[in-house]
Amino acid sequence: MESSRTVVRAVTAQLVVSRTCSQPLCMRLRYEPADPYVVRAAFSVHSDEPVEWVLGRDLLADGLEGSVGYADVRIWSAAGRGDESIYIALGSSGGTALLEVPVQDISSFLQETQASVPRGTESGLIDWDSELAHLLPRG
């Protein structure tokens, strides 16, 4: 697919600490056609190495419309209820984080990814022979 290109966007999110307190946090979203089903979200925290989460692109897109996900990643939108935010809850053995991100930032990022690789065409970018070779035992 010739139009396929990497899409990167820096977004300011709010790390929700409580109902009345939040901290700004830089979130860098990255979409690579070589891994067409995922969006990588990197967060700069108190170390030199960013913390990275892998999110399903469809999960992120579906979160614009309603509540999706379970366990470690949950996403929901508050748009239409007087709040133009999308919420992303991330959980791990180290704790949980609730992020509030402007809907428009996520929506425009996803539009760029879909201009690069339209939803539903992702499988055409995967080298299935190579993937299968990684799964099968070597003789």
Side-chain angles (χ1 to χ4, degrees):
M1 187 174 285
E2 291 182 30
S3 65
S4 299
R5 64 180 174 74
T6 297
V7 178
V8 179
R9 164 112 17 120
V11 173
T12 300
Q14 294 293 321
L15 175 62
V16 178
V17 179
S18 70
R19 286 182 173 254
T20 59
C21 181
S22 64
Q23 289 287 124
L25 179 69
C26 183
M27 178 170 74
R28 188 176 68 108
L29 299 171
R30 182 177 186 86
Y31 176 78
E32 296 185 29
D35 199 359
Y37 289 103
V38 304
V39 170
R40 297 184 184 284
F43 307 95
S44 298
V45 289
H46 304 296
S47 67
D48 292 335
E49 290 294 316
V51 174
E52 185 175 87
W53 279 77
V54 177
L55 309 172
R57 180 171 73 155
D58 285 346
L59 185 72
L60 195 56
D62 292 346
L64 291 172
E65 304 300 321
S67 182
V68 295
Y70 61 93
D72 292 348
V73 179
R74 291 175 293 134
I75 302 171
W76 65 95
S77 173
R81 294 187 298 228
D83 186 353
E84 295 300 316
S85 297
I86 189 168
Y87 292 89
I88 303 172
L90 304 173
S92 73
S93 60
T96 60
L98 177 60
L99 306 170
E100 179 181 356
V101 186
V103 166
Q104 186 55 46
D105 290 347
I106 298 296
S107 180
S108 61
F109 171 77
L110 287 171
Q111 286 173 1
E112 283 186 60
T113 71
Q114 290 176 36
S116 177
V117 178
R119 276 178 91 177
T121 66
E122 297 92 346
S123 66
L125 297 173
I126 295 174
D127 180 350
W128 292 107
D129 291 333
S130 175
E131 294 297 322
L132 189 57
H134 283 70
L135 296 174
L136 296 176
R138 296 181 185 178

